[in-house]
Amino acid sequence: MACTTVLVGKNASYNGATFIARNEDSPSGEFCAKRFIVVDGKEQPVKYKTVLSKQEIELPENPMRYTSTPNADKKDGVWAAHGVNEVDVGMTATETIASNERVLGADPLLKKGGIGEEDMNLLVLPYVKSARQGVERLGMLLEKYGTYEMNGIAFSDKDEIWWLESIGGHHWMAKRVPDDMYVVMPNQLGIDTFDFTDAYGAKQNYMCSADLQKFMIENHLNLDLKNNNDVINPRLVFGTHDDADHVYNTPRAWFIERYFNPKTYKWDGPDADFKPDSDDIPWALVPEHKITIEEMKYVLSSHYNGTELDPYGSYGPKDMRGAYRSIGINRNDSLALIEIRGDMPESCRSIQWMAFSSNAFNAMAPFYTNILKTPHYLSYVPKECTTESFYWASRLIAALSDGAYKKCQAHIERYQLAVASRSHEILNKYDKLISAQTGNGGRELCEKANGEVAAMLKEETSKTLNKVLYESSCLMKNSYSRSDA
């Protein structure tokens, strides 16, 4: 399983925007090259056939334009990953999650047909005008076609964030992220409170498949000793709590919530409220301060920095270094942070921040989504490695820096600082210019701004690649101090 997701409500972010962010990670031993493109609604098929499951699906009329982060190699399908459509609805799909044996026995995952991560953005994002509609459409597709895997999916607009989790082959639930809270999702079924009375009534904060409560009761899935079938803990009812979770999943939630809420709970020591292997780490918390873009990048790049668990660390018990699965790992393929700013005009409301390869060593840059094309540096991803591609240049920096971590760390920190600082400078300039425009002038300026960001990104990436190549070369095993040159 792969990926880590962080969601931030509009009142918990530093600028009042909604944030949905996710690392898309490859399975162990694999690396998947990703591109950043725009799909015109006219390019959408009328009937879509999935590559992996061969499921045929009729699609609605009048699809909208949307950004996409597909696989460069389409042999396994599109895998659009993250995107924003032309009415400023964001979507990131998917976070791989899991259910327990009782759920999967009652509603097995499909062995033939159905939809999955390969398809979800393409099937949903061009057709919805709000985050809530995104939940409703995907929920309908899951009930109608079923799924062969379990996933968590985030939807956002300027006002709301919704998180949907599939349950078994045909069921699902979704919860609205409170405006003043953030959510952490690390490859587990994560929602820890669900109110069926709201889901089947007002639908203000909860939605689910039509028969989910009945399904739960008939299959004796509720483990609550009080037998309350209206307000449940879905993590207990539908989720997993196995030993693998305690190494692979829960430590990631522990680190991120420890970072945003260091004083709210005690995170370390024998009397800690929550430890890396705790099963009850909260799904959502009110942060102790408003969350910034840079902090989102930091936590989604982390390898337990500053703790004895850091695989690059030099203190604490050696056998604890790398004991748990890091968030920023070698097989990060892409990181997208979708920022939808309610106080900005529609012409420049949405920003898609993008990074590729291992987040411990890469930099994240912003791109307006009100565009018809993306910069060549991010859309060009050939099969062969080339520094003309941001994906490949990021992979090179990561591979070279890993073995020379202490020598390269300062270069990476300066790289990330330079890209972030210059990115905000460009956004500040173009936000003012675009806000003053009418008609298509705003879109043209968005594309011009994106080109400026890409040029800056290429400049800073090339400089950093040169520096880490030098540091790594100096640490080669066949080095020798005597020189007659």
Side-chain angles (χ1 to χ4, degrees):
M1 297 191 295
C3 308
T4 307
T5 299
V6 180
L7 316 172
V8 180
K10 62 184 180 182
N11 294 338
S13 72
Y14 82 105
N15 63 349
T18 56
F19 297 161
I20 62 173
R22 182 175 64 92
N23 293 345
E24 184 183 28
D25 307 335
S26 293
S28 181
E30 298 181 20
F31 301 92
C32 183
K34 304 293 292 187
R35 307 168 61 214
F36 176 48
I37 63 170
V38 177
V39 180
D40 191 298
K42 297 175 183 178
E43 299 174 35
Q44 280 284 104
V46 176
K47 179 182 287 186
Y48 177 71
K49 185 175 182 179
T50 66
V51 173
L52 295 181
S53 63
K54 313 301 180 187
Q55 178 73 57
E56 291 191 357
I57 301 172
E58 296 278 353
L59 295 176
E61 297 179 347
N62 303 315
M64 291 179 281
R65 182 187 74 248
Y66 62 101
T67 59
S68 175
T69 316
N71 289 1
D73 185 342
K74 294 185 179 180
K75 64 181 178 64
D76 293 324
V78 178
W79 298 77
H82 335 269
V84 181
N85 69 22
E86 63 184 77
V87 294
D88 299 305
V89 177
M91 178 178 179
T92 184
T94 68
E95 181 82 24
T96 305
I97 59 176
S99 266
N100 61 60
E101 300 86 342
R102 297 172 300 283
V103 172
L104 297 177
D107 183 12
L109 297 173
L110 274 63
K111 295 181 174 63
K112 183 179 180 181
I115 64 172
E117 181 173 354
E118 172 204 336
D119 327 302
M120 289 181 178
N121 281 52
L122 181 149
L123 296 174
V124 176
L125 191 55
Y127 309 102
V128 297
K129 295 184 178 180
S130 69
R132 186 179 292 263
Q133 282 188 13
V135 171
E136 293 169 343
R137 174 160 175 78
L138 181 55
M140 177 274 292
L141 291 169
L142 288 167
E143 292 182 55
K144 182 175 182 178
Y145 296 103
T147 184
Y148 49 86
E149 59 187 9
M150 285 191 51
N151 289 304
I153 301 94
F155 298 92
S156 63
D157 55 38
K158 67 182 179 65
D159 295 312
E160 296 186 340
I161 299 173
W162 282 82
W163 176 253
L164 182 150
E165 295 181 336
S166 63
I167 301 168
H170 299 85
H171 292 86
W172 61 274
M173 63 180 171
K175 183 173 180 177
R176 184 176 183 266
V177 177
D179 292 340
D180 62 345
M181 302 181 86
Y182 71 96
V183 164
V184 181
M185 283 298 307
N187 292 136
Q188 281 185 293
L189 191 144
I191 297 174
D192 54 8
T193 304
F194 193 87
D195 187 344
F196 280 113
T197 58
D198 179 90
Y200 292 134
K203 294 182 170 61
Q204 291 181 338
N205 298 298
Y206 303 88
M207 289 188 275
C208 66
S209 47
D211 66 338
L212 183 62
Q213 187 178 35
K214 180 182 177 183
F215 168 75
M216 177 190 72
I217 294 170
E218 288 182 347
N219 291 283
H220 311 289
L221 298 175
N222 191 358
L223 305 183
D224 186 348
L225 290 171
K226 297 179 182 178
N227 203 33
N228 182 353
N229 290 318
D230 289 329
V231 179
I232 65 167
N233 180 347
R235 197 184 297 175
L236 182 64
V237 175
F238 304 116
T240 58
H241 304 89
D242 54 34
D243 293 339
D245 285 325
H246 302 152
V247 174
Y248 200 83
N249 295 321
T250 56
R252 285 181 275 161
W254 171 83
F255 181 86
I256 294 175
E257 296 188 18
R258 176 181 180 267
Y259 178 83
F260 286 129
N261 287 82
K263 299 176 183 177
T264 307
Y265 298 105
K266 187 173 177 59
W267 300 94
D268 299 287
D271 58 342
D273 296 302
F274 301 106
K275 299 179 181 180
D277 59 355
S278 295
D279 288 319
D280 58 348
I281 296 172
W283 179 71
L285 285 175
V286 176
E288 292 174 13
H289 65 267
K290 293 194 174 186
I291 295 172
T292 68
I293 296 286
E294 291 69 43
E295 288 175 313
M296 293 283 279
K297 171 66 172 73
Y298 177 80
V299 297
L300 286 167
S301 304
S302 84
H303 36 86
Y304 306 105
N305 314 47
T307 77
E308 63 182 24
L309 305 173
D310 189 348
Y312 301 106
S314 57
Y315 56 88
K318 289 186 177 181
D319 59 353
M320 290 304 295
R321 298 175 200 164
Y324 299 131
R325 192 267 207 200
S326 292
I327 299 168
I329 56 174
N330 63 329
R331 50 191 171 84
N332 297 140
D333 296 323
S334 66
L335 162 59
L337 189 159
I338 293 170
E339 176 189 10
I340 303 182
R341 308 176 295 175
D343 63 343
M344 297 299 293
E346 293 179 6
S347 55
C348 59
R349 176 166 292 160
S350 298
I351 304 291
Q352 185 163 334
W353 294 75
M354 289 301 311
F356 293 127
S357 188
S358 178
N359 291 335
F361 304 102
N362 65 15
M364 187 174 72
F367 299 91
Y368 292 103
T369 63
N370 180 24
I371 53 175
L372 298 179
K373 61 182 179 180
T374 55
H376 180 75
Y377 191 48
L378 285 92
S379 63
Y380 176 59
V381 187
K383 290 184 178 181
E384 299 79 17
C385 178
T386 170
T387 56
E388 293 301 306
S389 164
F390 182 47
Y391 170 82
W392 283 114
S394 298
R395 278 281 302 276
L396 284 170
I397 288 173
L400 289 168
S401 299
D402 180 78
Y405 181 80
K406 292 181 180 178
K407 288 287 187 180
C408 293
Q409 185 179 16
H411 298 308
I412 299 301
E413 290 172 352
R414 291 167 188 152
Y415 171 46
Q416 293 169 341
L417 176 62
V419 169
S421 301
R422 295 182 67 183
S423 291
H424 282 293
E425 182 182 356
I426 294 169
L427 285 181
N428 287 336
K429 178 176 72 173
Y430 278 95
D431 276 350
K432 294 175 184 177
L433 294 173
I434 296 167
S435 296
Q437 290 290 318
T438 58
N440 291 331
R443 180 179 300 154
E444 292 170 358
L445 281 173
C446 285
E447 292 181 354
K448 183 178 179 182
N450 288 357
E452 194 168 319
V453 170
M456 173 275 294
L457 186 59
K458 186 175 182 181
E459 175 191 343
E460 296 293 347
T461 301
S462 297
K463 288 194 299 187
T464 303
L465 180 56
N466 286 338
K467 292 172 183 175
V468 301
L469 176 60
Y470 169 79
E471 299 289 3
S472 297
S473 298
C474 290
L475 293 177
M476 291 173 66
K477 296 294 184 183
N478 61 355
S479 65
Y480 199 77
S481 59
R482 180 177 174 177
S483 172
D484 57 5

